[in-house]
Amino acid sequence: MPKLRQQRIRNFCIIAHIDHGKSTLADRLLEMTGTLSEREMDAQVLDTMELERERGITIKAKAVRLVYKYEDGEEYILNLIDTPGHVDFTYEVSRSLAACEGALLVVDASQGIQAQTLANLYLAIEHNLEIIPVINKIDLPGARPDWVKKQIEEVIGLDAEDAPLISAKNGIGIEAVLRSIIERIPPPAGSDEAPLRALIFDSFYDNYRGVIPYIRVKEGTIKPGDRIMIMSNGKEFEVTDVGVFRPFLTPVEELRAGDVGYIAAGIKSVRDTRVGDTITYAGKPASEALPGYKNLQPMVYCGIYPAEGAKYEDLREALEKLQLNDASLVFEPETSVALGFGFRCGFLGLLHMEIVQERLEREYGLDLVTTAPSVIYRVMKSNGEMVEVSNPTNLPPPVEMEYIEEPRVNVQIISPNEYVGAIMELCQERRGEYKHMEYIESTRVLITYEMPLNEIIYDFFDALKSRTRGYASFDYEYIGYKKADLVKLDILLNGEVVDALSTIVHREKAYAKGRAIAQKLKEVIPRQLFEIPIQAAIGNKIIARETVKALRKDVLAKCYGGDVTRKKKLLEKQKEGKKRMRQIGSVEVPQEAFMAVLKIN
Amino acid sequence: MRDIGLYIHFPFCLRKCNYCDFFSYQGMEEWISPYVDALCKELREWKEKLVDYRVKTIYIGGGTPTLVPAELTARVLDLCRIIFYVKDDAEITIEANPGTISREKLSVLKSSGINRLSMGLQAWQERHLKTLGRLHRSEDFIRSVDSARDAGIDNINADVMFGLPGQTIDEWLETLYRVCMLGMEHISMYSLKVEEGTLFYTWLRQGKINLPTQEEDRLMYYKGRNFLHQHGLEQYEISNFAVSGRECIHNLIYWNNEEYIGCGSGAHSYFNKERFSNHRDIKSYVEAVMTGTSRIEYRELVDETNERFETIMLGLRLVRGIDKEGFVRRFGRDIYHYYGDAVEKLIGKELLVDDGRYIRLTNRGMDVQNSVLLEFLD
């Protein structure tokens, strides 16, 4: 009886701000439903990547199937779909939400709702999900569950009266959560008999079976032997395996409308089965794809170079491997006069960029030099041609340019009202255009600014946190391109332009930035045998200058009582240090110099 | 027969200086006697290996070797003469701290063969001596020099330092002036180097002491060099100055990359194409020697590439520079054959000069010797 089967399925996700307890709650749900024995529970099962655990955020969505015996005596299948918790991955979040009928909104009992939660929550409401507020950490001293309930009602207009009050950490109130999931979240709909439409909401690359897409079957049935087609690109594959997450991949005979699971079909590239795409039958395709598919384009670019030139091939291999699992990562070879051979890499956002860099360093043991992140500029050339520039070095000379356009975003900040002044100041400094401010409750405001993306890609969030003592949260969405008065800021060492240090900045900020970079470089470039002028320039005009004085003393006084080895070792160490530096013209520049430039604002 | 130098280490100190990272220990006095026994045993073990050698220098360093009773030191030197061929005119140096040597002690040492005294004065001014953690005062230095002269020692070195925390140029020149007035035959002037693991290192990191800038350091160096030159002490090495004919023969062995053996804890040897050193820890050293287990802490075979580099590294410390013919005799081919590019490049940068017989550092080259040497590495 298919109807009955669907009635006993609930597909849901958890929406929460970082640290509000999403992973811990997921762990408790797994534990309570006996999905994993306590012995198998490595704390926070869903965050398996080391990096994710360290940062306390979930980078890639995952899914798990819980079986819970409800008081009516029936066993229910609860599919928990984990969502990434960061603004860079909004699209992936929206696809995960599209695979669910409901969401748990987990709010910290002492902190209340944060901007990111709100952004994801609105996404969930857009997808018509049933929202169940859950108030977590009620056992902590600062807990104010009534205040949070009121906030949820006032800010979101959700009835929070019956919200389960829980402590995920200490296992309090978990049963209530499970009951609410069954009672309040609607079961999936959709006919088993209709032509297959399955939503891809995640995937990973398996060395033996190729790409394993995670799917939510909306309509129809999928089983081994089926010939399937990916609707956006028409590519066809034969299904070899279907299964569910228990939480480990466990094969089943078939997946039917309402089910969440995975398939294996000898798919070679994650690019063929992008998140949001629809899987259908090759022979009897559905008439249209599921809504919402987008081919995501990178927003932020930077150059990534191996610290040692000889590691170029290793870097390429590592990027290729990461790309197997990450359809949003793009890269292409690039050459820099200063840094040699490397890659220009594109990312969804800054966090995505940092994650990729960290994984390259940690999982692949690579030492990297990265250039300052850049957005994609659109340049209208005098000849009427529009070109996109993601590497400042490639900006055409001013005489060949009509104008430059830069990408802009809508930034939403939620903060206690006492920091409004500080936030506005920060946004103005970053060329923000004030749009809107509203009180979402008596002491908290939602501030909206329109800002150039390039002003927030590096350290905006850090600056925001430091100016609001960590109380503000923020989110952004891309809105489009707009003309701006931008210039290329070059850095010259010993009279030569260092391509890897060039940046595109707003004209009004060029002087301050040029000065700051020159000063910073003066700190990090060690003295050498000759004096080194550091200059910042716009075109031919020098706007700042510093000097690294010549080395005056580099000699050991002592002979260490015949300990020649010690002296030789010191020299060898010095030589090693020199080797790690980049030779730019006759100047030796330490790797840190390229990073240091990032940290200026 | 070949010449060789002998270094003997006495690791004992009344108090470890605040800048010292050498292998010396305070509060180990009860180990002096077993240590000397072990030392004598180690010396005897060298006997067979040195049958074809003449010992041309003995250098007793520390620590504070003069903390060891003069009679024990005399015993060690007597032993050396019994088991090795020590040349009659051998240079035999002992290091001493001002205030640790009485007239009587010096007489005993003198009659046991000591003919050169090297004293660690470091600075003249009370406040610097205190910061450095030195136990003596400048009066002690005057008295010790007098006693040494009375005992008939006519070859005295003073170690002095510049670039001390808060040291002024005038203070530095005063130190040199005072020392020169006492008629030193030899002066070693070192720029303070703060080594990891010392109290100075901690203080520096805590901001309790400040060091001079490179420019100030060099100014002291230049002024010191000129001052000594005017007072008849010629520079023959980056940090060493001597009245003509009183250059330290033992240290020249190092700089000429010749062979030497070191006995005692932590002592280094360069012998038969090998560099090696003994255990630094006093107890481990004594135990190893007494039980006949290996006393070696570190050992390295010096292949020809390394030997060439070391010859350059050490030779360029000498004002005279590297003897080009000596280099050919040692390695079979001209220095340009091995290091042509580096030498040409450095001459071009005016860091080296080739005067036909010697290749040496220019004055500027001496300030940045390390940078110069890096060009010769691999």
Side-chain angles (χ1 to χ4, degrees):
Chain A
M1 292 289 283
K3 184 107 190 176
L4 208 61
R5 185 189 65 85
Q6 274 189 347
Q7 290 298 329
R8 287 186 285 107
I9 297 176
R10 301 290 184 275
N11 297 319
F12 72 104
C13 58
I14 306 177
I15 295 170
H17 187 68
I18 294 170
D19 291 339
H20 281 197
K22 180 168 77 167
S23 302
T24 320
L25 175 59
D27 288 354
R28 289 290 111 35
L29 294 175
L30 261 71
E31 219 174 74
M32 287 289 284
T33 53
T35 309
L36 277 182
S37 67
E38 212 164 314
R39 193 173 48 80
E40 290 169 308
M41 290 288 302
D42 183 5
Q44 305 195 350
V45 172
L46 288 188
D47 288 350
T48 44
M49 251 198 294
E50 183 193 359
L51 198 60
E52 292 187 6
R53 192 155 323 158
E54 244 167 61
R55 291 180 166 233
I57 50 170
T58 312
I59 298 160
K60 295 283 280 177
K62 289 181 197 69
V64 61
R65 181 181 195 264
L66 316 169
V67 180
Y68 179 65
K69 195 161 186 175
Y70 183 58
E71 55 200 30
D72 61 4
E74 295 272 10
E75 279 193 343
Y76 285 76
I77 290 169
L78 315 180
N79 289 307
L80 164 56
I81 294 172
D82 201 18
T83 56
H86 190 275
V87 50
D88 286 358
F89 304 105
T90 303
Y91 171 71
E92 298 194 5
V93 174
S94 83
R95 294 307 82 205
S96 292
L97 295 177
C100 302
E101 279 78 34
L104 301 180
L105 169 66
V106 178
V107 183
D108 184 306
S110 51
Q111 294 187 10
I113 295 172
Q114 305 287 311
Q116 245 164 57
T117 326
L118 213 54
N120 284 349
L121 181 70
Y122 287 141
L123 267 180
I125 292 171
E126 259 174 53
H127 286 86
N128 291 319
L129 298 199
E130 177 68 31
I131 313 288
I132 305 174
V134 174
I135 297 167
N136 192 19
K137 305 195 188 182
I138 52 148
D139 53 340
L140 290 188
R144 292 184 289 165
D146 290 334
W147 166 70
V148 176
K149 276 186 187 175
K150 203 163 144 242
Q151 195 192 32
I152 293 171
E153 284 166 9
E154 281 176 6
V155 178
I156 317 164
L158 273 180
D159 181 6
E161 196 42 48
D162 300 327
L165 301 180
I166 69 162
S167 162
K169 194 162 165 236
N170 294 314
I172 302 167
I174 309 301
E175 285 278 356
V177 175
L178 286 163
R179 277 200 306 272
S180 324
I181 291 170
I182 290 166
E183 289 159 10
R184 296 179 52 183
I185 295 176
S191 159
D192 290 356
E193 315 299 331
L196 174 67
R197 286 208 296 174
L199 172 73
I200 301 171
F201 63 88
D202 195 9
S203 68
F204 79 98
Y205 187 84
D206 180 284
N207 284 331
Y208 303 101
R209 293 183 291 179
V211 180
I212 308 283
Y214 289 18
I215 58 166
R216 158 71 199 273
V217 183
K218 290 283 188 180
E219 286 164 340
T221 305
I222 185 167
K223 59 184 182 305
D226 284 348
R227 188 93 197 140
I228 54 162
M229 183 180 84
I230 312 299
M231 290 193 79
S232 74
N233 54 30
K235 293 204 173 161
E236 294 186 15
F237 303 94
E238 187 174 315
V239 178
T240 55
D241 216 356
V242 304
V244 295
F245 313 101
R246 273 179 175 164
F248 312 107
L249 305 194
T250 312
V252 294
E253 277 176 25
E254 58 180 10
L255 295 173
R256 296 154 71 180
D259 280 337
V260 170
Y262 68 88
I263 65 162
I267 302 160
K268 293 284 177 295
S269 164
V270 279
R271 269 155 199 71
D272 292 338
T273 55
R274 286 174 180 267
V275 168
D277 215 333
T278 305
I279 294 176
T280 189
Y281 295 132
K284 188 178 56 166
S287 53
E288 59 186 305
L290 295 164
Y293 174 71
K294 272 197 277 188
N295 189 356
L296 280 193
Q297 295 303 320
M299 302 272 277
V300 176
Y301 281 80
C302 80
I304 297 185
Y305 293 80
E308 291 166 65
K311 297 273 179 164
Y312 174 76
E313 278 306 321
D314 295 9
L315 176 57
R316 178 203 295 280
E317 269 176 40
L319 282 167
E320 279 168 358
K321 279 189 190 149
L322 286 184
Q323 214 178 32
L324 287 177
N325 257 328
D326 185 346
S328 329
L329 169 66
V330 301
F331 64 90
E332 59 180 37
E334 135 179 306
T335 320
S336 151
V337 178
L339 298 174
F341 292 102
F343 298 93
R344 178 122 305 238
C345 304
F347 310 93
L348 293 178
L350 218 56
L351 181 83
H352 187 210
M353 178 176 96
E354 282 175 26
I355 288 165
V356 169
Q357 286 172 6
E358 272 194 60
R359 290 188 66 187
L360 288 171
E361 291 185 336
R362 208 180 286 197
E363 293 169 33
Y364 296 90
L366 293 166
D367 224 345
L368 304 176
V369 182
T370 52
T371 63
S374 168
V375 298
I376 302 176
Y377 297 95
R378 285 188 188 153
V379 179
M380 176 56 82
K381 294 173 68 175
S382 325
N383 62 9
E385 185 193 353
M386 179 76 105
V387 292
E388 291 194 339
V389 174
S390 69
N391 180 348
T393 311
N394 300 335
L395 196 71
V399 290
E400 292 177 24
M401 291 190 291
E402 268 322 297
Y403 58 83
I404 307 176
E405 290 181 349
E406 63 177 343
R408 295 174 72 85
V409 290
N410 227 2
V411 174
Q412 293 201 312
I413 298 168
I414 293 184
S415 163
N417 57 355
E418 63 200 279
Y419 300 113
V420 166
I423 292 168
M424 290 186 144
E425 200 175 65
L426 173 65
C427 292
Q428 308 287 5
E429 280 168 23
R430 305 292 178 105
R431 298 193 282 133
E433 234 172 75
Y434 173 81
K435 285 286 163 201
H436 186 65
M437 179 167 86
E438 69 180 293
Y439 273 79
I440 54 176
E441 60 181 276
S442 57
T443 57
R444 283 156 71 85
V445 289
L446 170 67
I447 307 168
T448 310
Y449 265 86
E450 188 185 316
M451 294 174 80
L453 178 61
N454 109 7
E455 293 288 342
I456 61 166
I457 55 171
Y458 197 68
D459 62 348
F460 180 76
F461 193 34
D462 288 340
L464 181 66
K465 277 191 293 188
S466 77
R467 293 195 196 190
T468 61
R469 300 203 195 160
Y471 282 113
S473 53
F474 105 117
D475 191 19
Y476 67 83
E477 63 177 335
Y478 168 74
I479 48 179
Y481 275 80
K482 199 169 164 184
K483 275 189 210 173
D485 189 9
L486 300 165
V487 292
K488 180 156 78 115
L489 176 64
D490 287 324
I491 300 295
L492 293 81
L493 289 182
N494 210 16
E496 285 178 49
V497 174
V498 182
D499 58 358
L501 292 175
S502 295
T503 47
I504 293 173
V505 294
H506 195 262
R507 190 181 298 277
E508 281 168 21
K509 296 185 143 198
Y511 281 80
K513 183 141 187 186
R515 257 196 311 278
I517 294 178
Q519 278 162 9
K520 190 80 196 174
L521 287 174
K522 185 188 172 181
E523 283 167 31
V524 295
I525 296 176
R527 288 179 166 207
Q528 292 167 38
L529 288 170
F530 49 90
E531 189 177 278
I532 305 162
I534 302 169
Q535 292 158 304
I538 302 169
N540 293 324
K541 191 175 167 205
I542 303 296
I543 58 168
R545 184 191 158 112
E546 292 284 344
T547 307
V548 178
K549 283 192 272 186
L551 185 66
R552 298 306 335 169
K553 183 200 171 200
D554 180 25
V555 56
L556 296 178
K558 284 195 266 183
C559 64
Y560 299 115
D563 187 354
V564 172
T565 313
R566 175 168 174 177
K567 171 153 180 159
K568 201 171 67 186
K569 290 221 163 114
L570 281 170
L571 286 170
E572 279 163 359
K573 213 171 133 193
Q574 211 172 336
K575 183 91 184 177
E576 264 319 296
K578 240 171 119 83
K579 272 192 196 155
R580 278 202 308 275
M581 293 207 230
R582 292 285 169 165
Q583 186 84 32
I584 297 177
S586 49
V587 183
E588 277 154 359
V589 182
Q591 321 267 7
E592 306 92 87
F594 300 96
M595 321 284 187
V597 174
L598 306 184
K599 302 202 168 104
I600 286 163
N601 236 313
Chain B
M1 276 223 148
R2 298 167 67 181
D3 285 352
I4 197 163
L6 169 60
Y7 176 83
I8 291 172
H9 191 67
F10 282 131
F12 308 99
C13 271
L14 275 178
R15 182 190 187 285
K16 188 145 176 101
C17 296
N18 299 333
Y19 57 91
C20 173
D21 78 325
F22 221 53
F23 33 106
S24 62
Y25 305 90
Q26 64 184 52
M28 295 285 285
E29 286 74 20
E30 76 269 31
W31 280 84
I32 291 180
S33 167
Y35 180 84
V36 172
D37 289 343
L39 182 67
C40 290
K41 185 157 185 261
E42 191 196 353
L43 283 165
R44 277 190 215 98
E45 286 168 13
W46 276 103
K47 186 182 171 190
E48 299 301 314
K49 292 181 193 142
L50 294 192
V51 285
D52 289 331
Y53 285 85
R54 285 186 310 191
V55 174
K56 71 168 172 180
T57 63
I58 299 177
Y59 192 101
I60 304 175
T64 311
T66 42
L67 275 188
V68 172
E71 292 70 25
L72 286 183
T73 308
R75 201 184 109 200
V76 171
L77 286 173
D78 288 344
L79 178 69
C80 290
R81 262 185 295 267
I82 293 166
I83 57 179
F84 305 132
Y85 175 0
V86 179
K87 290 171 80 173
D88 287 343
D89 61 349
E91 176 196 88
I92 305 181
T93 308
I94 190 165
E95 286 183 345
N97 277 338
T100 59
I101 32 173
S102 62
R103 168 91 203 266
E104 293 68 35
K105 208 172 199 172
L106 283 160
S107 296
V108 176
L109 292 172
K110 174 76 169 72
S111 48
S112 72
I114 298 282
N115 53 27
R116 187 170 181 271
L117 183 67
S118 174
M119 277 205 285
L121 169 66
Q122 313 313 356
W124 192 262
Q125 298 77 15
E126 197 69 20
R127 65 177 194 122
H128 291 307
L129 290 171
K130 229 173 126 182
T131 315
L132 292 168
R134 306 289 293 180
L135 292 172
H136 57 84
R137 304 162 65 108
S138 43
E139 299 93 273
D140 298 323
F141 181 73
I142 300 173
R143 256 196 304 280
S144 296
V145 171
D146 281 348
S147 305
R149 297 292 185 210
D150 284 351
I153 294 174
D154 63 355
N155 194 357
I156 305 179
N157 166 62
D159 279 351
V160 287
M161 286 202 284
F162 62 95
L164 303 177
Q167 187 182 33
T168 65
I169 299 257
D170 282 349
E171 286 173 324
W172 166 232
L173 290 178
E174 184 195 11
T175 298
L176 290 177
Y177 173 79
R178 299 283 189 173
V179 173
C180 284
M181 287 305 108
L182 287 165
M184 297 292 113
E185 282 76 24
H186 192 285
I187 288 179
S188 294
M189 63 175 222
Y190 296 114
S191 164
L192 171 71
K193 180 160 190 288
V194 177
E195 304 281 358
E196 222 171 302
T198 62
L199 209 47
F200 262 41
Y201 188 78
T202 313
W203 288 346
L204 190 63
R205 285 190 21 184
Q206 292 170 346
K208 287 186 184 160
I209 54 172
N210 287 307
L211 294 182
T213 61
Q214 294 186 12
E215 282 74 12
E216 289 163 344
D217 178 284
R218 283 301 96 178
L219 192 59
M220 289 196 194
Y221 181 69
Y222 303 146
K223 290 222 169 193
R225 189 159 68 182
N226 287 341
F227 185 92
L228 294 179
H229 179 71
Q230 283 160 13
H231 287 76
L233 287 139
E234 285 309 315
Q235 182 178 25
Y236 69 100
E237 194 261 0
I238 288 181
S239 307
N240 286 279
F241 299 76
V243 168
S244 176
R246 296 303 184 102
E247 295 83 8
C248 176
I249 301 167
H250 185 79
N251 281 339
L252 281 168
I253 291 176
Y254 299 146
W255 297 318
N256 286 322
N257 203 16
E258 293 165 359
E259 287 184 301
Y260 54 91
I261 63 164
C263 293
S265 63
H268 290 259
S269 303
Y270 177 39
F271 186 73
N272 216 358
K273 309 265 177 211
E274 269 190 304
R275 293 197 184 274
F276 48 91
S277 63
N278 290 339
H279 284 304
R280 269 170 296 185
D281 181 68
I282 295 176
K283 293 178 198 171
S284 318
Y285 165 75
V286 171
E287 218 170 83
V289 174
M290 289 327 231
T291 57
T293 52
S294 173
R295 57 170 200 277
I296 302 301
E297 185 170 276
Y298 174 82
R299 187 188 291 277
E300 178 199 14
L301 204 66
V302 182
D303 63 18
E304 188 153 312
T305 313
N306 271 311
E307 184 182 336
R308 267 197 303 271
F309 176 71
E310 288 172 5
T311 302
I312 304 266
M313 172 176 100
L314 296 160
L316 283 181
R317 288 195 67 94
L318 293 171
V319 169
R320 184 195 77 178
I322 297 157
D323 176 6
K324 290 169 70 181
E325 277 194 16
F327 190 94
V328 176
R329 269 197 306 279
R330 186 164 184 163
F331 298 108
R333 307 194 69 159
D334 194 53
I335 190 167
Y336 285 90
H337 171 75
Y338 301 105
Y339 299 113
D341 289 351
V343 174
E344 303 282 4
K345 180 174 164 189
L346 291 162
I347 289 175
K349 288 186 176 176
E350 298 184 352
L351 296 169
L352 278 187
V353 279
D354 179 347
D355 67 9
R357 277 188 67 187
Y358 295 100
I359 288 180
R360 59 183 162 83
L361 293 173
T362 59
N363 277 344
R364 166 85 175 126
M366 264 191 222
D367 292 340
V368 293
Q369 198 216 14
N370 290 355
S371 303
V372 170
L373 292 176
L374 294 187
E375 297 291 334
F376 290 90
L377 261 185
D378 72 30

